[in-house]
Amino acid sequence: MRVFVTGATGWVGSAVVKDLIAAGHHVLGLTRSEKGAEALTAAGADIHRGSLADMESLRSGAAQSDAVIHTAFNHDFSKFAENCAEDRRAIEAIGAVLGRSDRPLIVTSGVARVARGRVATEADPPVPVSPSYPRASEVTATELAARGVRATVVRLPPSVHGHGDHGFVPRLIGFAREKGVSAYVGEGLNRWSTVHRLDAARVYRLALERGADGGPFHAVAEEGVPFKEIAQVIGRRLNIPMVSKSPEEAAEHFGWFAMFAGFDVPTSSERTRALLGWRPEQPGLIADIDHPAYFAQ
């Protein structure tokens, strides 16, 4: 298939591009920079100039393709609501082009708020859009599916790890370096579900090759890694003490990141594995981050 990939030079999207090409698919990768174009060319993808804010570029990319994988999202949390609105417009623009065709659309979402106080499963419905959670990626995909678009969702866990990661764990390392302690909240028993980005990329491809039917899919390799175990690796690698923080102290220590540090989001991928025949092959989170590469960034 010829697959249009948004976020094609991003952390997850670039892995998706390489996985698709290795499996024999052709990729049209969205990029707005010359550096991104060079990376896509090196990976063997075709270049499509544009951005999430350029609706015409999104419509054009979708029109040229047999399928679309949407991994792009602006993670600047200082303007989260604005970025969520842009994401909704982008998904709707792509969906309008695909219409009632057999061409699948796979949209990226997250597992963080899908379930509270229990293990999240693929049967859990999308998180409703609200002022406290304005991200509408999954809700928009569900609305498109109701209108006949062959749309589905891949939900990602809080930690999509791998060497070169610039996500949550590197932020924790940064806080630890700055504060001189590796902190966790309470007893540190809250759990982060995780996946290596190369394993996550295969979920997108397998879902695509099966027509994107049966979703949402959970790209989750580990159901839940206790946060304290992450803090232990960071403390040992940086040779600094571990400390427990109360929720109030965590708010001061982590600032805006305190909500993420306190996440308890155990997540199952049992149904995804059964439907797609997916089995994670890469190292788990603790083994992956317990490496000098994570601390040399």
Side-chain angles (χ1 to χ4, degrees), residues 212-283:
D213 296 323
F217 301 101
H218 283 184
V220 172
E222 295 176 289
E223 183 174 293
V225 175
F227 190 89
K228 189 174 183 178
E229 293 184 14
I230 302 170
Q232 285 173 334
V233 174
I234 294 172
R236 175 165 47 79
R237 281 282 177 182
L238 295 180
N239 194 29
I240 58 177
M242 287 175 55
V243 297
S244 169
K245 298 284 187 180
S246 69
E248 294 75 21
E249 292 170 333
E252 181 178 352
H253 180 87
F254 291 112
W256 64 271
F257 195 77
M259 176 182 69
F260 301 105
F263 269 166
D264 185 39
V265 286
T267 307
S268 169
S269 59
E270 183 177 347
R271 187 170 184 271
T272 296
R273 297 179 191 226
L275 285 173
L276 302 182
W278 175 68
R279 294 293 180 271
E281 300 172 352
Q282 301 299 319

Side-chain angles (χ1 to χ4, degrees), residues 3-44:
V3 186
F4 179 43
V5 180
T6 72
T9 60
W11 177 240
V12 174
S14 60
V16 171
V17 167
K18 291 178 180 178
D19 190 82
L20 288 169
I21 291 172
H25 299 288
H26 302 281
V27 171
L28 182 64
L30 181 70
T31 183
R32 60 184 176 183
S33 71
E34 193 58 41
K35 183 179 179 181
E38 291 172 0
L40 287 171
T41 299

Side-chain angles (χ1 to χ4, degrees), residues 92-209:
E92 288 175 340
I94 293 168
V97 173
L98 299 180
R100 293 178 176 273
S101 69
D102 287 333
R103 293 181 292 165
L105 166 61
I106 300 178
V107 170
T108 304
S109 185
V111 303
R113 292 175 177 250
V114 167
R116 299 292 182 114
R118 59 175 176 78
V119 176
T121 74
E122 294 90 341
D124 286 308
V127 180
V129 178
S130 67
S132 64
Y133 187 75
R135 186 164 183 178
S137 309
E138 186 165 353
V139 168
T140 307
T142 302
E143 292 170 351
L144 289 174
R147 300 202 298 265
V149 180
R150 201 171 188 181
T152 194
V153 170
V154 169
R155 292 172 177 165
L156 296 176
S159 177
V160 182
H161 58 89
H163 296 172
D165 178 8
H166 294 286
F168 282 5
V169 171
R171 290 185 187 275
L172 291 174
I173 293 171
F175 283 119
R177 283 193 170 117
E178 177 188 349
K179 307 285 187 175
V181 295
S182 182
Y184 55 92
V185 183
E187 297 181 7
L189 300 181
N190 59 297
R191 297 151 291 178
W192 279 8
S193 49
T194 79
V195 69
H196 193 284
R197 74 180 189 121
L198 300 183
D199 285 326
R202 285 192 297 113
V203 174
Y204 286 89
R205 175 174 59 80
L206 291 171
L208 186 72
E209 291 173 346

